[in-house]
Amino acid sequence: MEILAFGVQADEQPLIERAFRGRAEVRCLDVFLNEDTAPIAAGHEIISTSVNADLGAGVLEILAAGGTRMVAQRSTGFNNVDLTAAERLGLTVARVSSYSPYSVAEFAWALAMAVNRRIVRASTRTRDFDFRLHGLMGRDMHGRTAGVLGTGRIGEAFARIAHGFGMRLLGWDVTENPACRDLGMTYVPKDQLLAEADLVTLHVPLMPETRHLIDAAALKSMRDDAILVNSSRGGLIDTAALVGELRAGRFTGVGLDVYEAEAGLFFLDKSLEAVEDDTLARLVTFPNVLVTSHQAYYTEDAVGQIVDATVDNVLDYRAGRRSANVLVPRS
């Protein structure tokens, strides 16, 4: 049985091939799964997909018609999967429920510090042998307030780093994390967190209830000199509203590793094409904004854990076992 893996990055491919060696045959494709590429999976009972795969009803129907029975998603989030359609079509769907929280938390801090200390601007200048300091002044994080929206494993890891900086910690979540409380975190309503935090970071899943969690009203309630970081899911922020606030000169910096319309853009080389997304095109022009291409999870440690969990999910499916990673069980 050959497993077809869609959306495999060059750095990721040797990890996938090594993990499956001696267990199953795997063929890696660099194309992403969507309605145009789904027919490639014909004849493959098991496929594996990346975080930006289109697993809507239309794609799932093509997969099912071609003989696919199991989808192993190489990510934690599953907002891109139509689970109702998958169940109707008899498709088993599994995800990776957890991996290194440090990969994302550390990258979120990299974004925060990069925009705070103007690292990208400074690097660009020095490449041109411009060594002036004008416009590069940042702020100490020590003694300032970090607001963590979502205090699960990643939010906790972020809070531990913030605690190391000597920051005051505010948290917001549906369930309080005792480990965060032990760090001195105070749980407050979202509006209070946004109003008081010098640094706001997002670590909540994207669901209907959290879409545009940071909307126009939330953005207006934040401090004018705040730093906003999103390394979770792009749909948590109303990007058009964010652009409006940035045009008004607000915020010390914004670090975004995700974007709500990133599908079809992120992980691809669009450098020779005209970008039709006017919102993204405007966003990247702001000098206080840093956009990266959904790479927060992309460490050897995290990707290795994701691949290992994906292999386990495939082996569980073949053996008729069900784990906590299964979103839609085998029918």
Side-chain angles (χ1 to χ4, degrees):
M1 179 188 298
E2 181 184 69
I3 296 158
L4 195 62
F6 285 89
V8 177
Q9 303 295 318
D11 298 330
E12 184 185 17
Q13 182 168 342
L15 297 177
I16 291 177
E17 292 174 343
R18 184 166 60 245
F20 274 102
R21 189 171 298 137
R23 296 173 168 181
E25 294 295 322
V26 61
R27 180 156 62 103
C28 296
L29 304 177
D30 60 1
V31 298
F32 294 92
L33 180 64
N34 54 41
E35 288 199 7
D36 292 330
T37 60
I40 300 173
H44 291 83
E45 181 180 349
I46 302 172
I47 68 164
S48 177
T49 58
S50 59
V51 63
N52 274 342
D54 177 357
L55 288 166
V59 171
L60 293 176
E61 287 170 1
I62 295 172
L63 293 175
T68 297
R69 293 293 174 265
M70 194 263 183
V71 177
Q73 173 133 303
R74 301 188 308 279
S75 73
T76 298
F78 53 91
N79 53 283
N80 60 323
V81 187
D82 188 329
L83 298 178
T84 302
E87 184 173 14
R88 171 174 55 82
L89 294 165
L91 291 169
T92 298
V93 179
R95 62 162 178 162
V96 177
S97 57
S98 65
Y99 56 86
S100 168
Y102 310 107
S103 60
V104 179
E106 291 171 6
F107 193 83
W109 265 107
L111 289 174
M113 294 306 294
V115 296
N116 176 41
R117 301 305 301 269
R118 324 295 192 196
I119 299 298
V120 176
R121 184 185 299 178
S123 176
T124 301
R125 281 187 185 178
T126 55
R127 284 178 178 271
D128 293 331
F129 295 94
D130 179 352
F131 300 102
R132 293 172 299 159
L133 297 182
H134 176 67
L136 302 182
M137 184 175 288
R139 297 179 296 176
D140 289 358
M141 287 298 183
H142 178 82
R144 287 189 160 81
T145 299
V148 184
L149 293 164
T151 57
R153 296 174 71 241
I154 297 173
E156 178 189 333
F158 186 96
R160 289 189 182 280
I161 299 171
H163 182 260
F165 273 104
M167 300 185 75
R168 172 188 176 220
L169 297 174
L170 297 179
W172 176 86
D173 208 326
V174 293
T175 303
E176 297 184 6
N177 185 337
C180 289
R181 278 204 170 278
D182 290 343
L183 294 172
M185 177 177 285
T186 301
Y187 281 86
V188 296
K190 185 185 73 170
D191 290 346
Q192 181 181 344
L193 182 151
L194 295 175
E196 297 182 14
D198 299 287
L199 166 61
V200 175
T201 182
L202 307 180
H203 301 292
V204 300
L206 179 60
M207 302 179 291
E209 300 80 21
T210 59
R211 180 170 293 279
H212 287 181
L213 180 71
I214 304 300
D215 58 11
L219 290 165
K220 290 187 181 300
S221 70
M222 292 174 60
R223 298 167 59 99
D224 286 344
D225 60 354
I227 293 171
L228 174 63
V229 174
N230 185 11
S231 57
S232 184
R233 288 292 184 271
L236 298 175
I237 296 178
D238 182 339
T239 315
L242 175 61
V243 168
E245 296 302 308
L246 289 165
R247 291 182 64 183
R250 301 190 65 227
F251 305 135
T252 289
V254 176
L256 303 174
D257 185 51
V258 288
Y259 173 63
E260 60 181 324
E262 68 183 54
L265 289 172
F266 282 21
F267 305 143
L268 300 171
D269 182 3
K270 297 290 186 178
S271 60
L272 298 179
E273 302 177 25
V275 177
E276 298 179 358
D277 189 325
D278 292 338
T279 302
L280 179 60
R282 184 68 180 93
L283 190 64
V284 299
T285 64
F286 292 104
N288 57 335
V289 174
L290 176 56
V291 178
T292 53
S293 53
H294 206 142
Q295 68 184 81
Y297 77 99
Y298 206 53
T299 66
E300 292 180 9
D301 311 80
V303 173
Q305 292 167 16
I306 290 169
V307 170
D308 288 344
T310 300
V311 172
D312 289 342
N313 289 341
V314 168
L315 296 179
D316 284 344
Y317 166 82
R318 291 174 63 176
R321 296 186 296 263
R322 179 177 178 180
S323 74
N325 286 339
V326 175
L327 298 169
V328 179
R330 188 172 189 170
S331 57

